[in-house]
Amino acid sequence: MANPFINGSYAEFSQLDSMTIVDPSNGEEVDTVPASGAAEVDQAVRSAYDAFPAWRNIPAAKRGEILGKAAHAVMAATEELAPMLTAEQGKPLREARLEIRRFVHTLEHYVGLAKSIRGGYVPDLDVDTYGLIVRRPLGVIGAIVPWNFPTTLLGNKLGPALITGNVVVAKPADTTPLTTLRIAEIMHEAGLPAGVFNVVTGTGEGAGQALAEHPLVRKIAFTGSTPTGKKLMAIASNDLKRTTLELGGSDPMIVCDDANLDKAASAASVGRFFNAGQACLAIKRVFVFESVADEFIEKLAVKVKKLRVGPGTAEGVMLGPLHSPRQRDLLEEQVQSAVDSGAEVLHGAKRPEGNGISKRGNFYEPTLLVEPSHDSRVATEEVFGPALPVWRVGNMEEALQLANGTEFGLGSSIWTADLNRASDAAEKIEAGYTWINSPQIVYDELPFGGWKQSGYGKEHGIEALDYYTETKSVVVKRAV
């Protein structure tokens, strides 16, 4: 059994019920972890709370040095961590390695910002009087992380939290805690002080809710579904906790008549089917101008048909299993809704067979759907799996109307050779992030967060530091 990591070591909670971690590719048990509750969360929070004063008082540059060494140690353990991540999450080893590197890159980005934490100075408030704006860390941060990118999305919270002097209690998804636990141990062994980064295991209703309700937690940083984010926001409001919520998305891609269709098709394939389509920022709806639609769809279909499905440890696999049977069942219902509405299936829409694929695995073929109804579930819901609907549109006005016709507003992309057209569309599309002629890569240098039902607050960028600090004003009267 893998136990929670609290105050620099693994805590023994043998009296608790255990949760089984299952390999999505074959249904076999990987490990078990305790189902922590309020008492175990309290122990982790109090450990962090006790560690906070000493960590806060370390100069920011020194905190950066410590965090940098910890990040380096995680990178050195990539070949240990990647198979662990594949076993519990299902993604191909290649993607697991990329995710570990992405986690490290985010930490290193915030290490580089250690000396950029700024306050302010306001002269001449009054006679012989000036003002200071002092920026201080919040305290204990509760980081609740989903199963689709367990380490990447942990890094988004851990980096800005630790570099600004906060301490963290992380609650990974109940199905993907193993890599997070090992990362915490590695970072502690590399010099991160005990109590600064703790990990509790458990369900959302148990450990997650206890973390959100704990009076010593000053902020909840969450990535997950919109309904769960709303529940957490309501809980946090009881103590006026800060929140950062990165929620669901139904990201549109607009392909214009002057776009580079080869590059656009490649971006659509990677942007939809990376991590088996289980990403908030995945391309989930494509709107292509009528005059180039057939050519674009043909190019995209060629790429989709080349995606090899299989267990993440197999050579050459590009599409692993969905994370759980429930995820696949939901996807099948959504695809069936599209087919029932008249969608043409160009590829997929079924479970794969043969090629050593276990019938106990949660596999589903990459699916390309053309012209489902605009009220089908693939158009109105977030689709968290490898299915991509494509619609033909007459012009940019129609494309934007359809793109914005959703409750979500996370990511978006526009493909055109006309940068004036692209800039105008980027202003009008209702999303927190827009790529123009670019694959959907999130950069640490730019703030990231959703509009509408897709989130609250920002991650990434120097702007993220604002969400992990608070300011106070100091009035200074010169001695006379």
Side-chain angles (χ1 to χ4, degrees):
M1 177 178 286
N3 287 300
F5 192 84
I6 299 175
N7 200 32
S9 64
Y10 288 106
E12 294 289 341
F13 295 127
S14 58
Q15 78 281 7
L16 296 176
D17 292 337
S18 64
M19 304 185 303
T20 301
I21 310 304
V22 175
D23 186 331
S25 71
N26 55 29
E28 296 179 1
E29 179 179 320
V30 177
D31 206 339
T32 60
V33 295
S36 303
E40 295 73 37
V41 169
D42 179 68
Q43 183 176 333
V45 171
R46 292 188 182 278
S47 170
Y49 184 78
D50 290 343
F52 174 55
W55 181 247
R56 174 191 60 197
N57 291 334
I58 295 174
K62 180 62 177 178
R63 286 198 299 266
E65 180 182 330
I66 295 170
L67 188 58
K69 289 180 179 178
H72 181 76
V74 173
M75 179 65 88
T78 297
E79 292 308 310
E80 173 195 355
L81 294 169
M84 188 181 298
L85 180 56
T86 291
E88 64 178 339
Q89 201 281 334
K91 63 186 62 189
L93 273 171
R94 178 184 63 87
E95 294 184 15
R97 293 187 184 99
L98 288 173
E99 183 165 346
I100 301 301
R101 293 168 189 159
R102 177 65 181 166
F103 170 83
V104 172
H105 184 277
T106 297
L107 295 193
E108 290 178 338
H109 174 74
Y110 285 102
V111 167
L113 293 180
K115 295 183 179 181
S116 299
I117 302 168
R118 295 285 187 269
Y121 166 69
V122 182
D124 301 326
L125 289 174
D126 206 336
V127 177
D128 293 325
T129 305
Y130 62 91
L132 299 176
I133 302 169
V134 179
R135 189 177 295 276
R136 303 295 288 168
L138 300 173
V140 180
I141 307 298
I144 301 178
V145 183
W147 50 261
N148 57 331
F149 292 99
T151 59
T152 295
L153 298 173
L154 172 67
N156 291 354
K157 297 152 184 57
L158 199 61
L162 295 187
I163 206 65
T164 48
N166 298 284
V167 289
V168 173
V169 177
K171 207 293 287 183
D174 53 6
T175 55
T176 54
L178 302 178
T179 311
T180 302
L181 288 166
R182 179 63 181 128
I183 284 175
E185 181 183 26
I186 291 170
M187 293 179 71
H188 173 71
E189 291 172 345
L192 197 67
V196 170
F197 174 31
N198 309 271
V199 182
V200 292
T201 58
T203 65
E205 297 80 6
Q209 182 166 336
L211 186 60
E213 291 176 344
H214 201 290
L216 295 181
V217 173
R218 294 309 311 143
K219 171 176 174 156
I220 294 294
F222 170 76
T223 301
S225 72
T226 296
T228 303
K230 290 180 178 180
K231 291 178 183 177
L232 286 171
M233 195 173 198
I235 293 171
S237 70
N238 293 326
D239 294 323
L240 294 180
K241 289 180 173 66
R242 302 278 190 91
T243 57
T244 301
L245 307 173
E246 195 261 282
L247 308 177
S250 187
D251 294 10
M253 176 184 190
I254 298 174
V255 182
C256 300
D257 50 5
D258 59 350
N260 183 317
L261 298 184
D262 289 318
K263 291 183 178 179
S266 178
S269 179
V270 174
R272 170 69 275 193
F273 298 107
F274 187 84
N275 199 39
Q278 300 168 119
C280 297
L281 269 177
I283 294 171
K284 298 189 176 80
R285 298 174 295 145
V286 175
F287 304 104
V288 56
F289 281 30
E290 180 76 41
S291 61
V292 295
D294 289 345
E295 183 181 357
F296 171 81
I297 291 169
E298 182 180 349
K299 291 177 181 292
L300 177 57
V302 169
K303 294 183 178 296
V304 172
K305 291 174 183 177
K306 289 181 179 179
L307 296 174
R308 182 182 171 190
V309 180
T313 53
E315 187 71 26
V317 163
M318 304 175 73
L319 197 74
L322 276 81
H323 184 60
S324 69
R326 184 177 66 85
Q327 281 299 125
R328 184 172 62 178
D329 290 346
L330 175 58
L331 177 66
E332 287 178 326
E333 292 172 4
Q334 292 170 320
V335 170
Q336 189 61 51
S337 169
V339 173
D340 291 344
S341 77
E344 178 186 2
V345 178
L346 290 190
H347 187 70
K350 60 183 173 45
R351 301 181 183 187
E353 296 178 355
N355 298 323
I357 292 177
S358 170
K359 291 184 178 179
R360 296 181 63 195
N362 308 317
F363 296 99
Y364 196 77
E365 287 195 359
T367 297
L368 187 58
L369 305 165
V370 179
E371 298 287 355
S373 167
H374 288 294
D375 59 4
S376 65
R377 294 179 63 179
V378 296
T380 60
E381 300 176 357
E382 179 176 29
V383 179
F384 224 62
L388 181 60
V390 180
W391 290 271
R392 298 175 175 87
V393 295
N395 51 43
M396 181 64 79
E397 182 180 1
E398 181 185 359
L400 288 172
Q401 181 180 4
L402 292 169
N404 292 337
T406 173
E407 65 181 2
F408 300 109
L410 195 56
S412 58
S413 58
I414 302 164
W415 290 79
T416 175
D418 186 341
L419 287 183
N420 289 328
R421 170 196 266 174
S423 298
D424 181 65
E427 290 283 343
K428 293 176 180 177
I429 203 163
E430 296 170 355
Y433 218 108
T434 298
W435 289 264
I436 297 173
N437 299 327
S438 171
Q440 293 194 216
I441 299 170
V442 173
Y443 293 93
D444 283 320
E445 294 81 0
L446 295 175
F448 164 67
W451 292 6
K452 299 191 288 188
Q453 300 290 304
S454 287
Y456 178 81
K458 298 294 181 183
E459 293 187 327
H460 297 290
I462 196 168
E463 290 82 0
L465 302 181
D466 294 340
Y467 291 90
Y468 289 89
T469 57
E470 56 189 351
T471 60
K472 71 173 183 177
S473 297
V474 178
V475 176
V476 180
K477 185 78 172 180
R478 293 184 179 90
V480 293

